[in-house]
Amino acid sequence: MPKSTGIISKLDYIASLGVAAIWLSPIYKSPMADFGYDISDFRDIDPLFGTLDDFKLLVAEAKSRNLGIIMDMVPNHSSDEHEWFVKSEQKIEPYTDYYFWQPAKGFDPNGAPIPPNNWLSVFGGSAWAWSELRQEFYLHQFHAKQPDFNYRNPAIVQELKDILTFWYDLGVYGFRWDAVTHMFEDPALPDEPVSGNPVDPNDYNYLKHIYTQNLPETPYTLSLYKAHTDEYSLNAGDGLHRVMMLEVWNPIEEVMQYYRNVSDFPFNFRFLTTMGAYSNGRDAENAIRGWVDNIPDNGWPNWVLGNHDISRVGSRLQLTDGAILTTLLLPGTSINYYGEELGMVDTYIPPEEVVDPAGYRDPPRTPMQWDDSQFAGFTTGPKPWLRVNDNYLTVNVAAEEAADESVLKIFRKLVALRKEPAIQFGTLHTTVVSYELVLAYAREAVNATDRSYMVVLNWSHDQTHVVNLSPGAFGAFPFEITNPTVEIRTIGSDIPYDNFDPSAFTLKPRAGCVVSFNAVRK
Ligand code: NOJ
C-alpha cells in the first residue's frame, strides 16, 4: 500500500482533533466471519488493510504526529482457521489442549452428538460445535468460527504474552482487550440457570452466565498481562505507559474488579447501558456518579460514548454535540468512536444488506463520512462494505470544516480544553437543576487563579429552562461563579458568547454550553 493511502493518509486529520491515540478494531489476518474478531494469525495484518510493513509505517507516521496506535487484543478466541485450531482438531501437540474441547454428553437416537451442557453463544444458539474430525465438541462463546481458548493450559497464557511482546516491539502503545470476561469457564461444566428474561431459549440472555463469565481466574490472568506490559515499559525505558483497557459490560461491582493491578481501566459503559433518548439530567448525573463514586482509590476514570457494537450516540441519546459536551470535560480518558466528532448517526441497513453475524451491529458501522463525493470519500472501489448514510452530503468532515458552527469544531474545542489545569486536575462537582432536566457539572481548578469550567446541558426535548449562574446560585456547588464566559455552545442554542446575563441563562431544549469562570470558595 503506498504511503498516501488508508489510515496513513488520514493521520493529519486525526492529529488535528487533538487526540492522543487511535484504537484500531482488529486488523490481523482474519477470514472476517466476525469482521476481524476471528483472528487466523495474531502476528500479521490482513491483506484487506495492508501489510506488516504498512503497519510499521503507520506506527512511525502516527508517532511523528504524537499519536499512539492501540491495537485490539482478542484473548478469548481465535478463528477456526488459525493454525493452532487446525492442529488442535487433529490432536497435534502441543496444540491438542489449546482450545476448550469436551466429549459429547451422549448421542441421540439418530446418532447425533449431544452437547456437554446448556451453555449459549452470545450470538445465539448453543455455544458448542461438533468436530467430526476430533469427535468432540469445542466451545465457542461467540461465532462457531471463533473457538474459545483453554486458559487452564499455561501454554496459551504464554502464547498471548509473546504476542503482546511482538506488537510492543513494533511500537504499539497498548491494547483494547476484547470480551475478557469470557476467558474462563467452570471446568465442571454445570448447566447455567435460567435468567427469567422473557426471551427465546436460544437467546444468550435466556441464561444467567454464572459459569462462563467473570470467573475469579479471569482478573488474575489479566493481571499477569498487566505485569508483563509494565515490565516491558520499564525495560524499554522510554517513559511510555503502554495502556491496557478492557471490554467489561458486567454490573458495576463486577466491572470494578478489573481495576487495580488488572488493567489501566475497564471501559465505562454507563452512558451506553443506563441511558436512552429520554434520559434526563438526573440520569446523566447518575451515569457520571455511578462511575466516579464506585471507582477504587487511585483508579483512573474513563468515558465511552459509543463503539462498534451499539447504536451511535447521535441516535441512541438523540444528542450529538450535547453528548460530547457531557463527557469530554470529565476527569480521565475519553474514548470516542469514529464519526462521533461529526455527529454521525445510525444508518438503516435493509435486511438483505445485513453483514453482521449478530445481526444488529451494522447501523453504527457504516463508512466514515469524509466529504460529499461518491461514498462520502470512504472508498474509490465499486462499493463500500456497508452503505453510506444518506446524510453524508452535509454531515462530513469537509462540510464541517467549512461551516461556522459544527459538531467537528465543538469537538476540537473540547479536546483543546482538556489541556487546561482544571480539566486535568480539577475537582469534579455535579448537580441537577430545573426539575431534574438540566445537568451541570464543574471542574473546579485546584489553583484559584486558574479558570474553572462548568458544563450545562438541558436534557428536555421540549422545554426551555432558565438557569442562574450568578454568584451564590447553584447551591450544590461549594463556590461562587465569578467572571463567567461562554467558551462553547451547542449548535443552534443561540447562547450569547458576550454580554450574557449569568443570572438568567436561557437553555433551549437539548441545548448546552461550556462556561469558564473563576471559582470563589464560599
Ligand atoms: C466484542 C467485540 O467488540 C465484538 O465486536 C465482537 O463481536 C465480540 N467481542 C467477539 O470478539
Side-chain angles (χ1 to χ4, degrees), residues 76-78 80 85 98-102 115-122 125-131 136-151 182-186 189 192 204 211-213:
N76 182 64
H77 46 263
S78 73
D80 63 340
F85 186 79
Y98 267 37
Y99 295 84
F100 203 92
W101 291 100
Q102 293 296 330
N117 61 24
N118 71 345
W119 293 353
L120 289 170
S121 147
V122 174
S126 171
W128 298 99
W130 178 249
S131 161
E136 279 187 313
F137 280 98
Y138 65 86
L139 179 72
H140 62 89
Q141 293 196 62
F142 293 88
H143 197 284
K145 284 184 70 62
Q146 291 168 304
D148 273 44
F149 288 130
N150 169 19
Y151 271 92
H182 297 270
M183 284 168 71
F184 279 86
E185 301 75 25
D186 189 326
L189 308 178
E192 290 194 319
Y204 187 64
Y211 301 123
T212 53
Q213 272 221 42

XYZ file of all heavy atoms in Angstrom, residues 76-78 80 85 98-102 115-122 125-131 136-151 182-186 189 192 204 211-213:
472
model
N -9.945 -14.187 24.051
C -10.858 -15.294 24.347
C -10.879 -16.391 23.286
O -11.152 -17.550 23.580
C -12.280 -14.758 24.531
C -13.261 -15.853 24.888
O -13.132 -16.461 25.953
N -14.195 -16.156 23.998
N -10.597 -16.010 22.040
C -10.773 -16.977 20.957
C -9.904 -16.618 19.764
O -9.380 -15.505 19.680
C -12.244 -17.022 20.525
C -12.862 -15.656 20.356
N -13.614 -15.060 21.340
C -12.804 -14.749 19.355
C -14.014 -13.864 20.945
N -13.525 -13.635 19.731
N -9.803 -17.567 18.846
C -9.148 -17.279 17.559
C -10.152 -17.643 16.471
O -11.297 -17.995 16.764
C -7.881 -18.116 17.399
O -8.229 -19.470 17.145
N -11.340 -20.353 13.636
C -11.171 -21.810 13.467
C -10.175 -22.088 12.333
O -9.763 -23.225 12.136
C -12.512 -22.509 13.211
C -13.163 -22.053 11.909
O -12.809 -20.963 11.400
O -14.034 -22.786 11.397
N -5.791 -23.987 15.825
C -7.049 -24.739 15.898
C -7.011 -25.923 14.918
O -7.436 -27.040 15.262
C -8.254 -23.849 15.597
C -9.559 -24.579 15.813
C -10.076 -24.752 17.088
C -10.254 -25.128 14.738
C -11.255 -25.454 17.305
C -11.437 -25.832 14.939
C -11.940 -25.989 16.228
N -5.093 -26.519 23.380
C -5.127 -25.056 23.238
C -6.563 -24.524 23.297
O -6.793 -23.368 23.563
C -4.494 -24.632 21.911
C -3.011 -24.297 21.993
C -2.156 -25.004 22.816
C -2.477 -23.248 21.245
C -0.802 -24.698 22.884
C -1.118 -22.926 21.312
C -0.286 -23.648 22.127
O 1.040 -23.328 22.193
N -7.523 -25.375 22.985
C -8.930 -24.932 22.930
C -9.757 -25.733 23.924
O -9.279 -26.710 24.509
C -9.468 -25.068 21.496
C -8.740 -24.138 20.536
C -7.526 -24.512 19.953
C -9.241 -22.869 20.252
C -6.836 -23.649 19.111
C -8.557 -22.004 19.399
C -7.355 -22.400 18.839
O -6.673 -21.532 18.014
N -11.003 -25.319 24.111
C -11.883 -25.903 25.125
C -12.683 -27.054 24.514
O -13.811 -26.882 24.064
C -12.804 -24.797 25.646
C -13.370 -25.052 27.000
C -12.722 -24.593 28.140
C -14.559 -25.756 27.157
C -13.257 -24.820 29.405
C -15.098 -25.991 28.416
C -14.439 -25.523 29.542
N -12.085 -28.219 24.484
C -12.703 -29.411 23.885
C -13.417 -30.245 24.943
O -12.914 -30.386 26.055
C -11.625 -30.294 23.240
C -10.975 -29.703 22.020
C -9.766 -29.082 21.960
C -11.491 -29.690 20.693
N -9.487 -28.683 20.677
C -10.552 -29.047 19.871
C -12.678 -30.159 20.102
C -10.729 -28.857 18.508
C -12.865 -29.965 18.746
C -11.895 -29.323 17.959
N -14.530 -30.832 24.584
C -15.261 -31.717 25.504
C -15.926 -32.839 24.723
O -16.415 -32.610 23.615
C -16.366 -30.942 26.258
C -15.851 -29.902 27.236
C -15.059 -30.485 28.390
O -15.306 -31.625 28.818
N -14.097 -29.715 28.905
N -24.623 -31.973 23.095
C -23.633 -31.058 23.691
C -23.467 -31.306 25.188
O -24.406 -31.762 25.857
C -24.211 -29.663 23.441
C -25.258 -29.835 22.395
C -25.746 -31.256 22.489
N -22.283 -30.975 25.742
C -21.990 -31.238 27.150
C -22.952 -30.563 28.123
O -23.187 -31.067 29.216
C -20.582 -30.657 27.336
C -19.991 -30.563 25.961
C -21.130 -30.434 25.011
N -23.500 -29.421 27.783
C -24.419 -28.725 28.701
C -25.213 -27.685 27.918
O -25.172 -27.651 26.682
C -23.650 -28.092 29.882
C -22.640 -27.058 29.406
O -22.790 -26.491 28.331
N -21.610 -26.820 30.199
N -25.929 -26.805 28.673
C -26.859 -25.863 28.015
C -26.227 -24.515 27.659
O -26.937 -23.579 27.305
C -28.080 -25.634 28.918
C -27.745 -24.797 30.156
O -26.569 -24.617 30.493
N -28.768 -24.295 30.836
N -24.934 -24.366 27.741
C -24.328 -23.042 27.539
C -24.665 -22.480 26.163
O -24.691 -23.213 25.165
C -22.806 -23.112 27.716
C -22.387 -23.427 29.130
C -23.193 -23.514 30.229
C -21.054 -23.705 29.571
N -22.453 -23.823 31.339
C -21.131 -23.951 30.961
C -19.803 -23.780 28.943
C -19.998 -24.258 31.727
C -18.677 -24.079 29.700
C -18.784 -24.315 31.078
N -24.883 -21.151 26.162
C -25.310 -20.470 24.934
C -24.226 -19.533 24.401
O -23.415 -18.991 25.165
C -26.568 -19.639 25.220
C -27.861 -20.413 25.470
C -28.949 -19.466 25.985
C -28.330 -21.128 24.203
N -24.275 -19.307 23.103
C -23.356 -18.361 22.463
C -23.953 -16.946 22.537
O -25.184 -16.779 22.452
C -23.159 -18.768 21.012
O -22.978 -17.643 20.199
N -23.085 -15.952 22.681
C -23.537 -14.554 22.703
C -24.323 -14.238 21.422
O -25.247 -13.428 21.427
C -22.326 -13.595 22.835
C -22.748 -12.145 22.716
C -21.578 -13.838 24.130
N -28.002 -19.457 20.152
C -27.859 -20.905 19.946
C -26.792 -21.492 20.848
O -26.138 -20.779 21.628
N -26.626 -22.821 20.742
C -25.661 -23.499 21.606
C -24.256 -22.943 21.421
O -23.865 -22.548 20.320
C -25.653 -25.003 21.270
O -24.581 -25.625 21.960
N -23.503 -22.929 22.529
C -22.115 -22.453 22.461
C -21.174 -23.602 22.073
O -19.961 -23.444 22.119
C -21.701 -21.855 23.802
N -21.748 -24.758 21.725
C -20.920 -25.923 21.398
C -21.045 -26.263 19.918
O -22.141 -26.280 19.380
C -21.353 -27.134 22.229
C -21.185 -26.939 23.705
C -22.156 -26.590 24.602
C -19.967 -27.069 24.445
N -21.618 -26.493 25.866
C -20.268 -26.787 25.802
C -18.653 -27.395 24.110
C -19.318 -26.819 26.811
C -17.699 -27.437 25.115
C -18.040 -27.150 26.452
N -19.933 -26.561 19.300
C -19.961 -27.035 17.905
C -19.203 -28.358 17.844
O -18.181 -28.541 18.524
C -19.325 -26.008 16.973
N -19.712 -29.271 17.061
C -19.160 -30.623 16.972
C -18.073 -30.678 15.897
O -18.251 -30.164 14.794
C -20.288 -31.587 16.632
C -19.897 -33.022 16.463
C -19.901 -33.739 15.306
C -19.482 -33.923 17.491
N -19.516 -35.027 15.542
C -19.247 -35.176 16.885
C -19.279 -33.802 18.872
C -18.812 -36.293 17.599
C -18.854 -34.912 19.588
C -18.625 -36.140 18.961
N -16.959 -31.307 16.238
C -15.926 -31.540 15.227
C -16.010 -32.994 14.800
O -15.775 -33.895 15.620
C -14.541 -31.229 15.803
O -13.553 -31.865 15.014
N -15.314 -34.505 19.017
C -15.550 -33.807 20.289
C -16.192 -32.461 19.979
O -16.109 -31.976 18.846
C -14.227 -33.578 21.036
C -13.751 -34.798 21.811
C -12.537 -34.487 22.673
O -11.582 -33.853 22.178
O -12.537 -34.879 23.844
N -16.782 -31.879 21.033
C -17.314 -30.524 20.898
C -16.233 -29.516 21.268
O -15.418 -29.783 22.152
C -18.493 -30.302 21.858
C -19.798 -30.873 21.378
C -20.251 -32.117 21.833
C -20.584 -30.163 20.476
C -21.467 -32.626 21.401
C -21.805 -30.677 20.044
C -22.242 -31.906 20.503
N -16.267 -28.372 20.600
C -15.459 -27.244 21.101
C -16.406 -26.113 21.498
O -17.493 -25.970 20.941
C -14.414 -26.779 20.072
C -14.966 -26.192 18.795
C -15.300 -24.832 18.708
C -15.158 -26.985 17.675
C -15.794 -24.289 17.534
C -15.659 -26.447 16.492
C -15.980 -25.095 16.430
O -16.481 -24.571 15.263
N -15.942 -25.343 22.469
C -16.755 -24.232 22.973
C -16.524 -23.001 22.103
O -15.389 -22.691 21.746
C -16.324 -23.914 24.417
C -17.059 -22.762 25.099
C -18.499 -23.154 25.448
C -16.320 -22.325 26.370
N -17.604 -22.311 21.768
C -17.468 -21.000 21.104
C -18.486 -20.061 21.746
O -19.679 -20.180 21.517
C -17.660 -21.104 19.586
C -19.009 -21.590 19.156
N -20.061 -20.739 18.928
C -19.477 -22.841 18.930
C -21.116 -21.451 18.570
N -20.788 -22.736 18.578
N -18.019 -19.149 22.574
C -18.969 -18.239 23.224
C -19.460 -17.167 22.268
O -20.395 -16.438 22.584
C -18.344 -17.624 24.469
C -18.106 -18.666 25.548
C -17.869 -18.044 26.898
O -18.730 -17.365 27.447
N -16.682 -18.273 27.438
N -18.810 -17.065 21.107
C -19.318 -16.159 20.070
C -19.664 -17.020 18.844
O -20.330 -18.034 18.985
C -18.294 -15.040 19.811
C -18.168 -14.128 21.009
C -17.263 -14.406 22.040
C -18.987 -13.016 21.145
C -17.182 -13.596 23.166
C -18.913 -12.204 22.270
C -18.007 -12.497 23.272
N -19.157 -16.669 17.685
C -19.469 -17.371 16.437
C -18.823 -18.769 16.434
O -17.777 -18.971 17.063
C -18.898 -16.521 15.298
C -19.422 -16.810 13.944
N -19.030 -17.901 13.218
C -20.297 -16.127 13.164
C -19.638 -17.883 12.046
N -20.419 -16.816 11.987
N -19.420 -19.717 15.704
C -18.826 -21.061 15.621
C -17.440 -21.017 14.983
O -16.636 -21.934 15.159
C -19.740 -21.985 14.833
N -17.160 -19.942 14.259
C -15.824 -19.796 13.682
C -14.874 -19.068 14.648
O -13.804 -18.617 14.249
C -15.894 -19.062 12.340
C -16.412 -19.984 11.213
C -16.392 -19.318 9.851
C -15.018 -19.081 9.272
N -14.223 -20.305 9.022
N -15.293 -18.962 15.929
C -14.447 -18.327 16.946
C -14.281 -19.267 18.145
O -14.844 -19.031 19.223
C -15.068 -16.999 17.401
C -15.038 -15.915 16.313
C -15.895 -14.712 16.669
O -17.088 -14.858 16.938
N -15.307 -13.539 16.667
N -13.516 -20.366 17.984
C -13.363 -21.296 19.110
C -12.653 -20.661 20.303
O -11.681 -19.929 20.135
C -12.513 -22.427 18.500
C -11.844 -21.836 17.304
C -12.757 -20.769 16.792
N -13.168 -20.964 21.519
C -12.592 -20.416 22.757
C -11.268 -21.092 23.104
O -11.161 -22.318 23.027
C -13.549 -20.653 23.934
C -14.572 -19.555 24.093
O -15.142 -19.131 23.074
O -14.803 -19.131 25.242
N -10.323 -20.288 23.557
C -9.067 -20.847 24.060
C -9.289 -21.501 25.415
O -10.232 -21.176 26.143
C -8.017 -19.735 24.248
C -7.467 -19.197 22.957
C -7.434 -17.827 22.722
C -6.945 -20.050 21.993
C -6.905 -17.322 21.547
C -6.412 -19.552 20.812
C -6.396 -18.177 20.584
N -8.350 -22.386 25.749
C -8.362 -23.033 27.058
C -7.296 -22.374 27.933
O -6.119 -22.712 27.852
C -8.062 -24.525 26.865
C -7.801 -25.228 28.162
O -8.172 -24.733 29.235
N -7.154 -26.388 28.085
N -7.722 -21.419 28.752
C -6.769 -20.668 29.577
C -6.239 -21.457 30.769
O -5.405 -20.969 31.513
C -7.365 -19.322 30.013
C -7.047 -18.277 28.973
C -7.927 -18.016 27.939
C -5.814 -17.629 28.973
C -7.605 -17.123 26.943
C -5.487 -16.736 27.980
C -6.384 -16.485 26.974
O -6.031 -15.605 25.992
N -15.051 -13.473 29.318
C -15.353 -14.839 28.836
C -14.149 -15.778 28.887
O -14.256 -16.923 28.454
C -15.844 -14.767 27.386
C -17.121 -14.007 27.211
N -18.354 -14.593 27.270
C -17.346 -12.688 26.996
C -19.290 -13.682 27.081
N -18.705 -12.516 26.905
N -13.016 -15.321 29.389
C -11.786 -16.105 29.242
C -11.804 -17.453 29.959
O -11.206 -18.417 29.505
C -10.579 -15.279 29.715
C -10.168 -14.213 28.706
S -8.996 -13.027 29.355
C -7.520 -13.985 29.495
N -12.473 -17.521 31.103
C -12.500 -18.782 31.863
C -13.927 -19.310 32.009
O -14.874 -18.534 32.093
C -11.923 -18.574 33.267
C -10.428 -18.594 33.289
C -9.710 -17.436 33.044
C -9.729 -19.772 33.533
C -8.314 -17.449 33.055
C -8.344 -19.797 33.542
C -7.634 -18.637 33.307
N -14.029 -20.622 32.078
C -15.323 -21.276 32.295
C -15.153 -22.279 33.435
O -14.037 -22.710 33.713
C -15.769 -22.061 31.051
C -15.920 -21.234 29.791
C -14.591 -20.850 29.149
O -13.595 -21.579 29.370
O -14.547 -19.830 28.452
N -16.257 -22.647 34.060
C -16.200 -23.646 35.119
C -15.877 -25.013 34.497
O -16.644 -25.517 33.669
C -17.552 -23.692 35.845
C -17.477 -24.543 37.096
O -16.723 -25.548 37.094
O -18.171 -24.213 38.071
N -18.406 -27.898 34.148
C -19.430 -27.746 33.104
C -20.888 -27.786 33.594
O -21.751 -28.405 32.945
C -19.274 -28.841 32.026
C -17.910 -29.022 31.387
C -17.953 -30.179 30.392
C -17.482 -27.759 30.682
N -26.109 -23.699 33.100
C -26.355 -22.366 33.663
C -27.848 -22.206 33.944
O -28.690 -22.714 33.183
C -25.852 -21.285 32.694
C -24.325 -21.277 32.638
C -23.700 -20.060 31.993
O -24.223 -19.590 30.976
O -22.659 -19.590 32.495
N -28.996 -15.497 24.076
C -27.972 -15.506 25.125
C -28.532 -15.060 26.480
O -28.166 -15.583 27.524
C -26.821 -14.582 24.697
C -25.616 -14.614 25.602
C -24.858 -15.773 25.753
C -25.223 -13.482 26.311
C -23.747 -15.807 26.588
C -24.105 -13.506 27.144
C -23.377 -14.670 27.279
O -22.276 -14.702 28.097
N -21.383 -19.483 35.132
C -20.271 -20.442 34.984
C -19.377 -20.158 33.773
O -18.410 -20.860 33.542
C -20.815 -21.871 34.883
C -21.629 -22.269 36.093
C -22.943 -22.695 35.962
C -21.060 -22.199 37.376
C -23.695 -23.037 37.095
C -21.811 -22.542 38.496
C -23.120 -22.957 38.344
O -23.847 -23.288 39.448
N -19.735 -19.140 33.006
C -18.940 -18.835 31.798
C -18.419 -17.410 31.768
O -17.705 -17.035 30.849
C -19.789 -19.049 30.518
O -20.991 -18.302 30.658
C -20.097 -20.512 30.280
N -18.825 -16.609 32.756
C -18.396 -15.211 32.733
C -17.840 -14.791 34.065
O -18.369 -15.176 35.117
C -19.595 -14.302 32.440
C -19.816 -14.103 30.972
C -20.175 -12.656 30.677
O -19.585 -11.736 31.232
N -21.129 -12.460 29.808
